[in-house]
Amino acid sequence: EVQLVESGGGLVKPGGSLRLSCAASGFTFSSYSMNWVRQAPGKGLEWVSSISSSSSYIYYADSVKGRFTISRDNAKNSLYLQMNSLRAEDTAVYYCASPVGPTEQAMDVWGQGTTVTVSS
Amino acid sequence: DIQMTQSPSSLSASVGDRVTITCRASQSISSYLNWYQQKPGKAPKLLIYAASSLQSGVPSRFSGSGSGTDFTLTISSLQPEDFATYYCQQSYSTITFGQGTRLEIK
């Protein structure tokens, strides 16, 4: 079964750091790009960051550039998001997602999400 | 960044109705447009990719059309399980989503 499982969410104070992980199974992780997408409470979906299969290409939303770092370990079938200098507006459910299906352009596999709350 | 604008933001409809949701891009994105369905507390689910291709396992009552800047998602005959929020997403450049359309039961 193709699966993504996020972990690492929690409560953190403003200015703090957190590292999210996403464990992949059921597909050849090293062949696919990966993405982080977040959803603030009651709000829509916001793309956060993407990383290519070999980590050669990395992109960030302007809202997180310079504070968040995406990385992956293909040997461990894992994706990461290091989040520093966290702000209240980073509070959200964070999903990892991947285009495992017929096109690289659409995310057809999603994790269940992990919740990050930034509050004092 | 490419801005994606969906209309309407919310919609009330009845079981059996035909429903159309529109998504407009701020510049041409060819056919790099995907549609997702999200139910409360759940991850998004891919419905349509490349503007008009139906994702495997998605009922044929869902269809997509359009290219360039204007796109539509149509549900031909609403079923109870279709009441959810729908998002468009472009993959022509760095990913952006529309703001969502909440489909509610009338």
Side-chain angles (χ1 to χ4, degrees):
Chain A
E1 179 191 6
V2 174
Q3 196 172 14
L4 296 172
V5 179
E6 302 94 337
S7 60
L11 175 63
V12 61
K13 289 181 168 54
S17 298
L18 213 53
R19 189 196 197 204
L20 306 184
S21 299
C22 171
S25 60
F27 64 101
T28 307
F29 179 76
S30 59
S31 297
Y32 297 96
S33 64
M34 295 294 296
N35 302 276
W36 288 100
V37 175
R38 69 184 181 183
Q39 187 169 36
K43 302 298 185 182
L45 301 171
E46 180 188 15
W47 169 77
V48 172
S49 183
S50 297
I51 185 168
S52 63
S53 58
S54 61
S55 304
S56 298
Y57 301 96
I58 287 175
Y59 306 95
Y60 297 100
D62 288 345
S63 58
V64 306
K65 201 172 294 182
R67 301 186 299 123
F68 290 11
T69 302
I70 192 172
S71 63
R72 63 189 296 161
D73 185 336
N74 287 342
K76 295 183 177 179
N77 290 341
S78 292
L79 173 73
Y80 306 102
L81 185 68
Q82 178 66 43
M83 303 186 296
N84 298 331
S85 303
L86 282 161
R87 306 166 179 168
E89 54 264 35
D90 296 318
T91 294
V93 175
Y94 285 74
Y95 297 100
C96 60
S98 184
V100 177
T103 173
E104 265 280 321
Q105 303 302 323
M107 297 172 281
D108 63 320
V109 179
W110 294 68
Q112 83 289 350
T114 188
T115 300
V116 173
T117 303
V118 184
S119 175
S120 55
Chain B
D1 290 358
I2 298 175
Q3 307 303 315
M4 307 300 295
T5 303
Q6 289 181 231
S7 61
S9 296
S10 63
L11 174 60
S12 294
S14 301
V15 173
D17 284 353
R18 179 182 180 90
V19 167
T20 298
I21 298 170
T22 297
C23 180
R24 175 165 288 176
S26 60
Q27 67 182 73
S28 177
I29 57 170
S30 184
S31 295
Y32 291 92
L33 191 283
N34 309 307
W35 290 98
Y36 299 85
Q37 176 194 66
Q38 188 181 33
K39 296 182 179 179
K42 300 294 187 182
K45 173 187 174 182
L46 178 65
L47 299 176
I48 302 286
Y49 63 93
S52 60
S53 295
L54 191 67
Q55 172 69 357
S56 176
V58 174
S60 59
R61 62 181 179 274
F62 291 92
S63 64
S65 65
S67 67
T69 60
D70 294 316
F71 303 87
T72 59
L73 172 70
T74 299
I75 310 172
S76 60
S77 178
L78 273 173
Q79 298 302 300
E81 61 267 30
D82 299 337
F83 291 95
T85 301
Y86 294 84
Y87 295 92
C88 62
Q89 172 246 319
Q90 64 81 18
S91 55
Y92 182 83
S93 66
T94 51
I95 293 167
T96 49
F97 289 91
Q99 81 277 16
T101 295
R102 185 175 179 180
L103 179 53
E104 300 174 319
I105 300 173
K106 183 183 285 184

